[in-house]
């Protein structure tokens, strides 16, 4: 997992790019009332407990765009927030029937295990160690390392910039040089104490590009298209998924069904709109007929030829 650890460091420091602190209008984990906390699982049927309660309690963050942050009106928004609303839509036919609980990243699994929340949507990277403590849904986003360029840069990808003795910025961490060199082997790596400062280095021309998460690169390019562009390639992929407390298979099955249909079925337009808003990328609609999820298998097997 060494390829992915730098990405987690980058994600943990995204708060430096956000405007505000924790969303003041949400329940703090420590102050959850008994009525708003996740129901005791007793018979293991959390799905029914959530339906009976009439709201789903979602653990998330508030300082990491484009995943979860405050908009200009102080409302919590972001791609993780949209995933929570998609789940509420499936449960109650009402995307507002969700209570977001702002929590620190290191509280995600403990709050699940303590039944303080029903589910986590908080750009949580799937790995084998975490899967021993929480159960993961199907992925709803695939993260990676990517380059962010100034809009007028002569290069558009890691492949194009390789071989040009480029200077590339990155958030300082033990794996920074290795991560950059996996994408651009000959780069001169310059490490900074925050993502914000790596962006300042890019803005001032001290570096030719900065390595950030792909989602961050797309977000910055979508927000400031006259200033930035995201690299067209990426490397070091990892998966973001929802997390639930182990031992409730019906609840996990339900979450997987809702997410699958958001990405491939009747709720696709909602997922597609969120992807466009937060990543600046218009997803093509899933093809009808043979399920596209198996398209790689179909291509390899000669299906349909």
């Amino acid at each position: 997992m060494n390829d992915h650890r730098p990405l987690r460091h980058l994600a943990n420091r995204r708060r430096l790019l956000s405007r505000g602190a924790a969303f003041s209008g949400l329940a703090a984990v420590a102050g959850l009332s008994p009525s708003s906390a996740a129901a005791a699982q007793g018979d293991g049927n959390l799905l029914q407990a959530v339906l009976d309660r009439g709201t789903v309690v979602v653990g998330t963050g508030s300082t990491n765009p484009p995943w979860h942050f405050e908009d200009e009106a102080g409302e919590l928004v972001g791609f993780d927030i949209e995933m929570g609303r998609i789940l509420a839509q499936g449960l109650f036919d009402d995307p507002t029937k969700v209570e977001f609980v702002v929590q620190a990243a290191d509280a995600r699994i403990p709050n699940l295990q303590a039944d303080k929340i029903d589910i986590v949507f908080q750009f949580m990277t799937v790995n084998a160690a975490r899967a021993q403590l929480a159960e993961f849904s199907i992925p709803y986003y695939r993260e990676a390392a990517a380059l962010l360029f100034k809009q007028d840069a002569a290069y558009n990808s890691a492949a194009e910039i390789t071989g040009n003795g480029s200077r590339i910025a990155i958030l300082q961490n033990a794996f920074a040089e290795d991560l950059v060199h996996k994408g651009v082997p000959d780069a001169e790596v310059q490490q900074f104490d925050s993502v914000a400062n790596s962006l300042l280095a890019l803005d001032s021309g001290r570096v030719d590009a900065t390595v950030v998460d792909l989602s961050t690169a797309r977000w910055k390019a979508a927000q400031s298209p006259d200033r930035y562009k995201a690299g067209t390639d990426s490397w070091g992929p990892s998966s973001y998924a929802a997390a639930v407390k182990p031992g409730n298979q019906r609840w996990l099955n339900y979450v997987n069904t809702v997410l699958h249909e958001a990405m491939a079925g009747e709720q696709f337009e909602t997922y597609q709109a969120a992807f466009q808003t937060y990543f600046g990328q218009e997803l093509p609609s899933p093809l009808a007929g043979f399920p596209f999820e198996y398209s790689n298998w179909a291509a390899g097997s000669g299906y349909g030829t």
Side-chain angles (χ1 to χ4, degrees):
M1 301 300 295
N2 287 356
D3 291 350
H4 309 304
R5 276 182 282 183
L7 292 176
R8 293 200 292 277
H9 284 294
L10 286 168
N12 289 339
R13 299 297 292 276
R14 279 204 188 108
R15 62 177 58 93
L16 293 163
L17 299 178
S18 68
R19 297 181 298 103
F23 182 54
S24 59
L26 302 179
V29 169
L32 278 176
S33 65
S35 61
S36 63
Q41 295 187 30
D43 61 357
N45 192 353
L46 181 56
L47 174 57
Q48 190 59 54
V50 171
L51 291 171
D52 291 344
R53 189 196 311 137
T55 58
V56 59
V57 183
V58 174
T60 192
S62 65
T63 58
N64 297 283
W67 295 97
H68 35 258
F69 62 102
E70 293 177 58
D71 65 11
E72 294 180 356
E75 296 293 328
L76 193 62
V77 295
F79 198 74
D80 280 332
I81 306 309
E82 289 302 314
M83 294 302 100
R85 296 199 185 283
I86 285 172
L87 180 58
Q89 175 68 30
L91 287 161
F92 310 110
D93 199 26
D94 184 345
T96 69
K97 299 264 182 165
V98 54
E99 179 180 1
F100 292 107
V101 175
V102 171
Q103 58 188 4
D106 60 4
R108 292 175 294 192
I109 290 176
N111 286 341
L112 280 176
Q113 293 175 333
D115 295 328
K116 291 181 176 179
I117 54 178
D118 301 318
I119 190 168
V120 171
F121 284 108
Q122 197 171 353
F123 64 13
M124 194 166 180
T125 305
V126 178
N127 62 48
R130 285 177 176 164
Q132 297 175 30
L133 304 172
E135 294 192 27
F136 287 103
S137 70
I138 59 176
Y140 59 87
Y141 186 84
R142 185 133 292 135
E143 190 62 279
L147 291 169
L148 182 68
F149 297 98
K150 292 177 70 173
Q151 179 56 245
D152 60 358
Y155 311 109
N156 296 290
S157 68
E160 289 180 4
I161 202 171
T162 296
N164 291 282
S166 57
R167 299 159 299 164
I168 295 182
I170 189 172
L171 176 67
Q172 183 177 13
N173 63 75
F175 312 100
E177 290 217 18
D178 287 344
L179 180 61
V180 173
H181 288 151
K182 284 183 183 298
V184 187
D186 67 331
E188 175 191 319
V189 180
Q190 298 187 17
Q191 300 188 43
F192 293 84
D193 60 358
S194 71
V195 173
N197 282 336
S198 76
L199 288 171
L200 287 175
L202 177 63
D203 292 340
S204 66
R206 286 182 287 155
V207 296
D208 301 298
T210 182
V211 169
V212 292
D213 290 327
L214 177 61
S215 59
T216 298
R218 287 176 171 169
W219 166 252
K220 298 297 289 185
Q223 293 300 297
S224 303
D226 57 337
R227 188 174 182 182
Y228 299 118
K229 60 183 176 181
T232 57
D233 52 7
S234 60
W235 63 95
S238 59
S239 298
Y240 288 167
V244 302
K245 183 178 179 179
N248 201 307
Q249 192 61 45
R250 187 182 178 204
W251 176 235
L252 181 58
N253 289 348
Y254 183 81
V255 170
N256 281 336
T257 298
V258 171
L259 291 178
H260 181 273
E261 292 312 297
M263 293 184 285
E266 65 175 12
Q267 294 300 315
F268 176 73
E269 288 184 1
T270 303
Y271 182 89
Q272 182 186 45
F275 216 93
Q276 175 72 48
T277 297
Y278 296 108
F279 307 127
Q281 183 179 15
E282 185 173 353
L283 298 177
S285 297
L287 295 175
F290 186 77
F292 81 97
E293 304 93 311
Y294 308 108
S295 58
N296 288 340
W297 168 83
S301 68
Y303 180 89
T305 60

